[in-house]
Amino acid sequence: MKSRYDVIVVGAGPGGSISAKTCAKAGLDVLLIEKRQEIGDPVRCAEGVGKEALINHIPPDKRWIAAEVKGSKILAPDGTEIKMSEEASSGKAGYTLERKVFDRALAQQAAMAGAEVMVKTRATGLLKNNGRITGINAMYMGETHEIKADIVIGADGVESKVGRWGGINTALKPEDIDTCAQFLVSNIEAGEYSKFFLGEKYTPGGYVWIFPKGKNTANVGLGILGSKCGTVRPISLLEKFMETYMPQGKILEIVVGGVPVSGPIKQTIADGLMLVGDAARQSDPLTGGGIINAMDAGKMAGEVCIKAKEKGDYSVKILKEYEDKWRATIGKELSKSLMVKNLLVKLSDEQLNQLAHSLSGIDTSKMALPKVLPILFRKNPKILWELRTLFI
Ligand SMILES: Cc1cc2nc3c(=O)[nH]c(=O)nc-3n(C[C@H](O)[C@H](O)[C@H](O)COP(=O)(O)OP(=O)(O)OC[C@H]3O[C@@H](n4cnc5c(N)ncnc54)[C@H](O)[C@@H]3O)c2cc1C
């Protein structure tokens, strides 16, 4: 470890590794640090991604593709099924990853591009000079190190502290976070589709997911919206789901974790600092998916680092290009998803059933969700009136 770099990236998840790779490929001197001793482990993810979006960043490799799914099925509380094709189920269906391997492969790409990677190295604070971020304090093997950099990228996930240290408000209210529990379940027929079960019947303000990880194994999990949690624990609801729908299932792994569902936050940059991925609250408020957004944002942040280096200016004046770019792309989608999520969590199980029934006779299997939503709106204007600005 040196005492100075062009860029320090905190957190070797998908957002951090892509940021580090992008900067290092352009010849910048990059340090990527990860507090855990193994990149990608433990997994806190259901591992579902859209193929097309993923392939923009890394060629598919069977070492980290656990399963390929044909599409997704959304199930209303009464069991009515809406089937969407793989191409149509943008964001979720496509691959179920093996993230332990995937995250490591991404970090390896960053390393191969020239980034220095340090595991078991935790950022414990930011260095500042006249209000500008000038590096980090890091703990490695019980020793504290001051490491300087022109830019720090905070890619430290849902529990991010880098933003807060840099004076950026990343606080999440209870209604801005989904608390999740997931089992890796074996001894079941996993099927060829990702499945989403909607309704209070299963979980308040969230959904149950089943993502196949092979013929007889799947990630089975659920999220509860923080503001609807009460005394209910996600793990208890998940156990109940298992007992009812897959009593023969054998649990091989337990995952618990939180997903930010706040939609775009006000600020993700400061002088000498950028936030990407979950640290910037860029996960989708409706689906909870954040892998692709973290990677896309990581690339955008890396590209702006390169420009900042060329200009020798690391102030918000230059870094604003990152903020503008992600808001115009990822941010727009997050805002739409937030509107849909805010309405969905208010609907009763009967209303969800009604929405599903209204699609009867319509072949949705070749449609993308953005095409299905206007149909739902036309057929159910009263229920979906809050979303009118999306369609009228
Ligand atoms: C139960 C669950 C299911 C999910 N399912 C899906 C899904 O199916 N599809 C999908 O797209 N998304 C899913 N997500 C969300 C997805 O996991 C995240 O959006 C994604 O991992 C964000 O990537 P990231 O790089 O921003 O952060 P992360 O992947 O969280 O990486 C952050 C890294 O920073 C490290 N770190 C934190 N603090 C420090 C520090 N101080 N110093 C050094 N390192 C630090 C962490 O150890 C971690 O490795 C799910 C999340 C949960 C909890």
Side-chain angles (χ1 to χ4, degrees):
M1 184 201 317
K2 295 185 294 190
S3 58
R4 170 159 196 96
Y5 294 83
D6 294 327
V7 182
I8 296 174
V9 182
V10 179
S17 288
I18 294 286
S19 307
K21 178 178 89 169
T22 308
C23 294
K25 253 174 105 175
L28 270 59
D29 200 8
V30 182
L31 174 65
L32 171 63
I33 67 163
E34 169 54 53
K35 70 178 180 187
R36 305 189 222 167
Q37 64 187 33
E38 277 184 53
I39 289 169
D41 195 28
V43 173
R44 286 176 309 182
C45 188
E47 306 175 293
V49 282
K51 273 183 201 175
E52 224 175 278
L54 186 79
I55 292 166
N56 286 335
H57 292 285
I58 183 166
D61 184 332
K62 59 179 184 323
R63 287 177 308 152
W64 45 254
I65 299 169
E68 226 170 302
V69 289
K70 282 190 174 163
S72 60
K73 292 177 180 173
I74 298 175
L75 289 110
D78 66 359
T80 308
E81 193 180 279
I82 304 166
K83 188 168 152 185
M84 290 192 286
S85 73
E86 180 212 307
E87 310 87 80
S89 325
S90 49
K92 276 287 181 184
Y95 293 133
T96 312
L97 300 174
E98 198 59 73
R99 272 201 67 180
K100 283 175 197 168
V101 187
F102 176 72
D103 282 23
R104 195 178 294 202
L106 290 180
Q108 191 186 5
Q109 281 201 336
M112 298 293 280
E116 190 172 334
V117 183
M118 290 197 61
V119 290
K120 227 170 168 14
T121 307
R122 175 191 294 268
T124 55
L126 293 178
L127 304 175
K128 291 181 191 170
N129 187 3
N130 285 330
R132 195 176 92 70
I133 312 306
T134 55
I136 61 165
N137 285 307
M139 180 76 85
Y140 174 66
M141 297 288 176
E143 280 182 17
T144 308
H145 299 262
E146 276 197 359
I147 318 172
K148 294 217 161 69
D150 295 323
I151 297 183
V152 173
I153 296 181
D156 50 335
V158 63
E159 76 264 46
S160 177
K161 292 198 178 112
V162 171
R164 183 152 45 87
W165 292 333
I168 298 175
N169 183 5
T170 56
L172 293 168
K173 297 192 286 292
E175 64 264 34
D176 293 337
I177 190 142
D178 261 346
T179 312
C180 306
Q182 176 181 276
F183 298 144
L184 174 64
V185 183
S186 197
N187 199 37
I188 53 166
E189 280 301 323
E192 295 176 305
Y193 285 80
S194 299
K195 294 197 189 86
F196 302 88
F197 298 74
L198 304 184
E200 292 272 332
K201 173 181 167 185
Y202 303 109
T203 175
Y207 62 85
V208 174
W209 64 80
I210 301 179
F211 291 175
K213 281 199 83 174
K215 193 170 176 288
N216 301 114
T217 314
N219 284 331
V220 182
L222 59 78
I224 308 183
L225 193 63
S227 53
K228 292 199 156 211
C229 250
T231 52
V232 185
R233 292 163 66 232
I235 206 114
S236 313
L237 288 186
L238 189 55
E239 279 163 358
K240 196 172 131 205
F241 182 86
M242 287 271 305
E243 278 162 25
T244 316
Y245 298 98
M246 41 180 76
Q248 79 288 10
K250 306 272 166 67
I251 297 166
L252 305 183
E253 229 174 86
I254 298 179
V255 169
V256 286
V259 184
V261 290
S262 59
I265 56 171
K266 286 209 174 89
Q267 182 195 352
T268 56
I269 54 166
D271 289 335
L273 178 66
M274 288 190 267
L275 301 180
V276 306
D278 278 12
R281 314 316 189 198
Q282 287 164 335
S283 46
D284 188 294
L286 181 62
T287 65
I291 300 171
I292 299 296
N293 286 354
M295 293 169 87
D296 288 350
K299 186 152 185 275
M300 291 175 203
E303 285 165 355
V304 172
C305 274
I306 298 164
K307 286 193 184 165
K309 178 75 187 166
E310 278 164 10
K311 293 197 158 72
D313 183 350
Y314 311 101
S315 69
V316 290
K317 205 175 115 207
I318 298 294
L319 305 191
K320 192 174 169 299
E321 184 179 333
Y322 163 65
E323 181 103 47
D324 291 344
K325 215 169 164 187
W326 84 255
R327 279 189 200 287
T329 50
I330 299 167
K332 270 196 177 159
E333 295 308 311
L334 296 188
S335 298
K336 280 188 211 159
S337 287
L338 184 63
M339 277 179 80
V340 179
K341 174 212 122 186
N342 284 343
L343 174 66
L344 273 186
V345 299
K346 286 189 279 192
L347 299 185
S348 65
D349 285 8
E350 290 69 36
Q351 286 172 311
L352 289 170
N353 290 335
Q354 204 179 315
L355 291 178
H357 297 166
S358 73
L359 291 174
S360 101
I362 298 172
D363 181 10
T364 55
S365 66
K366 302 267 183 313
M367 287 184 199
L369 192 60
K371 270 200 185 156
V372 176
L373 280 174
I375 300 174
L376 279 172
F377 180 75
R378 271 202 310 278
K379 290 183 166 277
N380 309 274
K382 267 194 181 158
I383 301 179
L384 299 178
W385 189 241
E386 237 177 86
L387 302 182
R388 63 195 176 281
T389 52
L390 294 179
F391 309 113
I392 298 175

